[in-house]
């Protein structure tokens, strides 16, 4: 979640010599993120995200916060909450997927083999791709609704669907199921 925006912030900031956060502010941001439950591996991305927000604020012409350290701590706290929300959303979707897999499949050897192959293929997909496949084809939600519910652009949903379906199709051909 944080990695893409943080990478863009590093690239945008790479050409400038001044860091919007000093060392003490960066330590404070790291501490707030860590205490907020963000994993150690995601802390650098969280710090970069705070930098990005500060740079975006300056680029938009708004005044710098009076107390940058306090402002950065609040932004870090909000990022930690966002991280937990995203994690809970992924866990809930994982639970829904598990419940769908437990449903009885129609009888018939061909249907059972196909269902098993599709379930195995879904297990091998990355979480984001599996999520959109299940929501689109099992929950029968339109792309627009999926995008709104996940908070991503429709193009992202379409891209994930395309990639996932292509991977599932390849898996089914590889296993000679279809």
């Amino acid at each position: 979640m944080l990695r893409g925006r943080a990478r863009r912030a590093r690239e945008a900031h790479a050409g400038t010599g001044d860091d919007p956060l000093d060392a003490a502010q960066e330590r404070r941001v790291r501490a707030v993120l860590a205490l907020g439950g963000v994993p150690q591996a995601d802390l650098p991305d969280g710090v970069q995200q705070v930098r990005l927000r500060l740079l975006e604020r300056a680029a938009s012409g708004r005044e710098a916060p009076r107390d940058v350290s306090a402002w950065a701590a609040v932004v870090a706290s909000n990022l930690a909450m966002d991280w937990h929300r995203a994690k809970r959303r992924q866990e809930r979707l994982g639970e829904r997927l598990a419940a769908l897999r437990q449903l009885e499949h129609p009888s018939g050897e061909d249907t059972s083999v196909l269902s098993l192959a599709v379930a195995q293929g879904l297990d091998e997909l990355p979480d984001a791709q599996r999520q959109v496949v299940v929501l689109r084809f099992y929950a029968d939600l339109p792309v627009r609704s999926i995008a709104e519910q996940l908070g991503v652009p429709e193009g992202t949903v379409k891209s994930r669907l395309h990639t996932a379906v292509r991977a599932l199709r390849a898996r089914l051909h590889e296993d000679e199921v279809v």
Side-chain angles (χ1 to χ4, degrees):
M1 172 176 82
L2 299 174
R3 292 187 195 275
R5 291 185 82 182
R7 186 186 77 251
R8 288 191 298 273
R10 279 192 301 271
E11 291 167 357
H13 194 63
T16 63
D18 56 334
D19 190 342
L21 294 177
D22 64 29
Q25 292 165 336
E26 182 176 334
R27 283 192 302 274
R28 186 175 190 187
V29 166
R30 282 180 175 276
V32 169
L33 290 168
L35 291 171
V38 174
Q40 190 72 26
D42 289 339
L43 292 181
D45 293 328
V47 172
Q48 287 302 99
Q49 184 67 20
V50 172
R51 280 189 177 100
L52 173 66
R53 301 241 176 119
L54 191 55
L55 291 170
E56 287 173 341
R57 182 181 176 108
S60 70
R62 290 186 288 167
E63 232 178 86
R66 261 184 261 172
D67 184 353
V68 174
S69 186
W71 180 88
V74 169
V75 170
S77 177
N78 289 338
L79 287 172
M81 288 190 306
D82 290 346
W83 184 87
H84 283 289
R85 285 185 195 116
K87 183 179 176 191
R88 278 196 306 268
R89 184 172 46 239
Q90 287 293 339
E91 288 170 354
R92 284 193 309 268
L93 287 169
E95 291 168 4
R96 290 180 193 151
L97 283 172
L100 283 173
R101 289 185 189 129
Q102 293 173 358
L103 295 175
E104 285 188 351
H105 298 287
S107 61
E109 187 175 319
D110 291 340
T111 305
S112 297
V113 170
L114 180 60
S115 295
L116 180 60
V118 169
Q120 288 173 342
L122 281 171
D123 285 340
E124 293 173 2
L125 291 176
D127 292 340
Q129 290 177 9
R130 181 174 45 242
Q131 179 183 33
V132 295
V133 167
V134 169
L135 292 174
R136 178 67 187 104
F137 298 112
Y138 288 89
D140 200 30
L141 293 177
V143 169
R144 174 171 283 159
S145 294
I146 295 169
E148 289 171 1
Q149 294 300 315
L150 298 180
V152 298
E154 287 183 45
T156 300
V157 173
K158 290 176 183 179
S159 174
R160 289 177 185 171
L161 277 171
H162 175 78
T163 304
V165 168
R166 188 176 54 199
L168 284 172
R169 184 178 296 125
R171 164 75 190 228
L172 293 176
H173 285 295
E174 181 180 301
D175 291 347
E176 297 180 353
V177 175
V178 290

